[in-house]
Amino acid sequence: MRKYALLPFNFITILNHEILINELGDFIITPIGTVQKILSHSISDEDLYKTLVSNFFVTEEILPSLLDIYASRLRTKKGFLDDKTSLHIFVLTLRCNQNCIYCQASSQEETSKHCSMSLEDMTASVQMMFHSPSPNLTMEFQGGEPSLEIDLIRHGIETAEEINKEKNRKLTYVLCTNCRKLSDDMLELCKQYNILISTSLDGPSYIHNKNRGREDSYEKTIAGINKARAVLGNEFVSALMTTSELALDYPKEIVDEYVSDGFNGIFLRALNPYGLAAQNEDWKRYNQRFISFYKTAVDYIIEINKHGIFFREEYASIILRKMLTPYTTGFVDLQSPAGTINSVIVYNYDGYVYASDESRMLAEIHDYSFRLGKVTDKYEDVFCGSVAKRMGKIWANEALAGCSSCPIKVYCGADPVRHHSTQGDMYGFRPTSLVCEKNKAIIEYLFSLIVERGDEVLPIFRRWVK
Amino acid sequence: MTLKIDRKIFSDSCISTVVYWFSSRYAIQRSIQGTIETLTIDGVQDEKQFLLEFYQKLNDYKLRNQIDEETKYIKTILYAKAFGEFDELTEEEILE
């Protein structure tokens, strides 16, 4: 009987293997029955024993001499907390020049009035952003269609640049645009301030046009992407897709579209239950179909990579980065404590601050649960106010029923806003939580690929997380 | 269907966690007499499959509970070492 003490870990059974996962997200694939052997101190496999010791699963000392290193690595895994709120979303307007069938932002007609941010609120929002202690501040302009408000963007950036002469933060700008009417003035502004363009491309024309409610949308988006690339360079233009009901039938065609458009990755993004998308009749069915869509698409992407083309799936890459590297990710949906407020904040066109992008979407259906205060309020009252404190009690999955004992919680996150919107309770009930079902399915699927086809997929996955 | 579980073998925490995960599919009533807990489960169609899944989960959570119990002190030390100094900061310092 070996003498050792256990270190904290959990396990999951996949494809007749036990995957042991420690607090850092490091994992070991072992035969069935290994956990029982560890607990009964009866491991006979010398190599396995050495692996368990060297990877912080068991220790031969009562207080491991490498505990400080373990603690330091754990701190690194939660490094996003040190960064504080770095992503500042400015919802400039609800005005939009498209009619997306699943619009999650409750966009209005292009000619609509009283749904754009005032210059005064933009100034106050930028001033509030600089109260965040983060050394890196990203200003992300959203809508509606934010490029319809170029003067507001210019004002926001110029105000930020002026304040930053004293504050000395690293500023990054992102414009989320449908690329439909990217004017020369807009691109000149992008060039001047190195603004990154994030556009929406749902796949081939027959999917994109249907989703976006206009027959020429695909053509205009591709033209906009090419125009932006010509002025700014390829690396300044990225695209996101949203998986509509229609898209669920075309996983390979959507991936092919992104490859042929010269992108080196795709974010297979599920619909969120906000705005028009909330009217979806059967979310459970959608969720199950999305999981199947996702697996087919990732399988296909792996095949593409095997032919020597670097092309990654972004959601998988975020999870794999947590599995295969010592580092954290800045992706707010998979953070614990949750990314809301801690990593992201939203200054809305209505002059109020919200906990996340989804929170301001809820406000459009008169649910103000995550409204933190006005942009003119004191920073402390907004970021540490009563709403933030209420959320703070339930935003860490380490302390939530259903999550705390989950073996894969280290790769996942708490999502109080989503659970509030879908279950009427910020805390959430995991057995019926669709976000839990989706994340579990994807994480377990990635593990199953590693277990079953490790030699083939791990070199590809390692390239994705570099 | 009715299921009797000896709490000397499976703890309350262990049974509660498994009941939590099954409660989206079944209505489960719990009662205790001595060390024996009786679960009355409504809605089970395939008893064999249910028992297989239920006991698999019970056994898994039992192992997890054992690991948690054995590692709770080292886990506290680990998290204190990793994040402890945050507790020493005043609210003003945090907001600076």
Side-chain angles (χ1 to χ4, degrees):
Chain A
M1 187 169 160
R2 286 181 188 273
K3 275 193 175 176
Y4 56 78
L6 301 190
L7 289 170
F9 75 93
N10 206 327
F11 70 97
I12 185 168
T13 306
I14 291 177
L15 295 175
N16 221 23
H17 287 74
E18 278 171 5
I19 300 177
L20 318 186
I21 304 164
N22 68 14
E23 294 290 301
L24 303 172
D26 295 345
F27 67 91
I28 304 174
I29 299 168
T30 64
I32 285 281
T34 301
V35 174
Q36 180 62 56
K37 283 183 184 165
I38 292 172
L39 284 165
S40 60
H41 293 248
S42 58
I43 302 164
S44 54
D45 183 333
E46 196 59 31
D47 288 342
L48 173 63
Y49 178 69
K50 284 177 184 166
T51 306
L52 291 170
V53 173
S54 62
N55 286 282
F56 296 113
F57 285 85
V58 302
T59 174
E60 292 172 328
E61 304 155 285
I62 291 177
L63 207 58
S65 53
L66 295 177
L67 196 64
D68 284 340
I69 291 172
Y70 195 171
S72 166
R73 286 193 58 200
L74 183 58
R75 176 71 176 251
T76 303
K77 280 282 179 182
K78 299 281 186 188
F80 60 90
L81 288 174
D82 292 336
D83 293 342
K84 309 288 188 309
T85 317
S86 56
L87 175 57
H88 297 256
I89 295 176
F90 295 75
V91 181
L92 305 185
T93 183
L94 290 187
R95 294 168 57 219
C96 191
N97 48 19
Q98 291 208 122
N99 306 309
C100 304
I101 56 169
Y102 55 71
C103 180
Q104 295 163 170
S106 303
S107 293
Q108 306 289 318
E109 290 295 322
E110 192 174 348
T111 52
S112 295
K113 298 200 184 309
H114 311 298
C115 57
S116 295
M117 187 183 272
S118 69
L119 287 174
E120 292 76 21
D121 281 344
M122 172 56 91
T123 306
S125 301
V126 174
Q127 286 167 343
M128 183 174 276
M129 175 181 78
F130 275 96
H131 278 90
S132 164
S134 176
N136 304 300
L137 298 174
T138 296
M139 286 180 80
E140 182 173 298
F141 301 109
Q142 283 198 21
E145 173 49 42
S147 68
L148 297 175
E149 298 288 349
I150 183 169
D151 291 339
L152 201 51
I153 296 174
R154 184 179 283 111
H155 176 72
I157 291 176
E158 285 175 357
T159 306
E161 291 287 328
E162 188 57 35
I163 297 172
N164 203 38
K165 285 176 185 167
E166 251 185 52
K167 298 283 186 179
N168 246 339
R169 311 290 179 83
K170 185 177 181 301
L171 293 178
T172 304
Y173 305 109
V174 179
L175 174 66
C176 299
T177 172
N178 57 33
C179 277
R180 188 173 174 84
K181 279 186 188 170
L182 266 186
S183 66
D184 293 340
D185 283 352
M186 189 70 246
L187 284 175
E188 199 178 305
L189 190 68
C190 291
K191 182 88 181 160
Q192 185 181 354
Y193 291 106
N194 293 324
I195 302 174
L196 301 162
I197 288 191
S198 172
T199 194
S200 301
L201 178 64
D202 288 343
S205 58
Y206 53 90
I207 298 172
H208 188 87
N209 288 344
K210 182 95 176 169
N211 286 353
R212 304 280 159 179
R214 289 189 190 251
E215 283 182 5
D216 63 349
S217 186
Y218 172 83
E219 186 190 326
K220 291 260 166 96
T221 299
I222 295 293
I225 288 171
N226 291 335
K227 185 176 176 182
R229 280 174 169 168
V231 176
L232 307 172
N234 283 10
E235 69 278 16
F236 276 82
V237 185
S238 64
L240 272 174
M241 62 82 62
T242 304
T243 313
S244 62
E245 288 272 359
L246 174 66
L248 290 168
D249 292 327
Y250 300 98
K252 293 180 182 175
E253 292 81 352
I254 291 169
V255 171
D256 282 340
E257 175 67 38
Y258 269 69
V259 173
S260 67
D261 291 330
F263 291 106
N264 56 15
I266 187 169
F267 196 131
L268 298 169
R269 202 168 54 143
L271 269 180
N272 290 329
Y274 306 101
L276 286 179
Q279 294 168 11
N280 192 324
E281 281 175 7
D282 190 345
W283 277 104
K284 192 165 173 53
R285 183 169 176 271
Y286 172 85
N287 210 47
Q288 282 161 357
R289 288 187 69 206
F290 175 81
I291 290 164
S292 166
F293 161 88
Y294 184 89
K295 290 177 182 176
T296 307
V298 171
D299 271 342
Y300 186 57
I301 291 170
I302 289 168
E303 285 308 308
I304 289 171
N305 280 266
K306 280 166 67 182
H307 288 91
I309 299 168
F310 176 85
F311 189 86
R312 72 179 167 200
E313 201 289 305
E314 302 289 353
Y315 198 66
S317 301
I318 290 162
I319 295 164
L320 289 166
R321 191 173 156 86
K322 292 177 174 222
M323 288 179 176
L324 301 172
T325 82
Y327 306 112
T328 181
T329 76
F331 186 66
V332 297
D333 290 2
L334 293 177
Q335 283 181 4
S336 176
T340 45
I341 308 176
N342 291 308
S343 297
V344 63
I345 202 89
V346 174
Y347 309 94
N348 204 19
Y349 73 94
D350 60 5
Y352 285 92
V353 185
Y354 291 87
S356 66
D357 204 19
E358 292 77 15
S359 307
R360 64 101 176 182
M361 292 171 184
L362 285 175
E364 294 306 324
I365 53 167
H366 311 293
D367 181 344
Y368 305 106
S369 305
F370 302 100
R371 182 188 264 183
L372 305 177
K374 289 204 74 133
V375 296
T376 47
D377 287 346
K378 277 175 69 183
Y379 170 83
E380 294 82 353
D381 293 342
V382 171
F383 281 67
C384 309
S386 57
V387 177
K389 282 178 181 158
R390 208 165 64 237
M391 292 178 78
K393 291 176 183 167
I394 46 88
W395 67 21
N397 63 11
E398 288 88 346
L400 292 175
C403 290
S404 61
S405 56
C406 176
I408 53 176
K409 68 174 181 290
V410 65
Y411 311 120
C412 197
D415 200 336
V417 179
R418 175 69 66 89
H419 287 110
H420 168 86
S421 87
T422 57
Q423 301 188 323
D425 175 17
M426 278 200 285
Y427 193 103
F429 180 61
R430 268 65 195 170
T432 54
S433 162
L434 296 181
V435 72
C436 174
E437 181 187 46
K438 183 191 80 173
N439 285 339
K440 256 187 182 170
I442 291 176
I443 293 166
E444 288 178 14
Y445 165 66
L446 292 172
F447 269 132
S448 73
L449 286 174
I450 293 170
V451 169
E452 211 168 29
R453 298 159 56 190
D455 290 345
E456 181 191 339
V457 300
L458 274 172
I460 294 169
F461 287 169
R462 292 211 165 91
R463 285 199 292 276
W464 290 5
V465 301
K466 265 185 186 169
Chain B
M1 70 178 283
T2 303
L3 204 58
K4 290 191 187 302
I5 301 169
D6 191 339
R7 281 195 170 204
K8 283 187 286 188
I9 300 171
F10 295 107
S11 68
D12 174 37
S13 157
C14 190
I15 300 167
S16 295
T17 310
V18 178
V19 167
Y20 173 83
W21 280 107
F22 276 80
S23 60
S24 63
R25 288 181 278 164
Y26 309 101
I28 303 176
Q29 277 189 312
R30 303 176 66 181
S31 62
I32 305 161
Q33 200 159 33
T35 65
I36 301 298
E37 172 154 358
T38 304
L39 303 180
T40 310
I41 306 143
D42 280 348
V44 177
Q45 289 181 341
D46 184 340
E47 280 196 19
K48 197 177 165 190
Q49 181 59 33
F50 176 87
L51 288 174
L52 196 72
E53 209 182 323
F54 198 89
Y55 275 103
Q56 178 67 57
K57 277 197 165 37
L58 268 182
N59 285 320
D60 282 355
Y61 280 109
K62 182 173 177 166
L63 291 174
R64 290 187 181 114
N65 280 359
Q66 268 183 269
I67 297 166
D68 286 347
E69 187 57 33
E70 278 195 49
T71 60
K72 63 185 179 191
Y73 297 116
I74 193 79
K75 194 169 177 176
T76 304
I77 296 168
L78 176 66
Y79 274 78
K81 274 182 176 286
F83 306 107
E85 78 261 34
F86 281 129
D87 292 340
E88 292 160 15
L89 295 174
T90 65
E91 197 166 0
E92 281 162 6
E93 283 170 327
I94 291 167
L95 293 173
E96 255 177 23

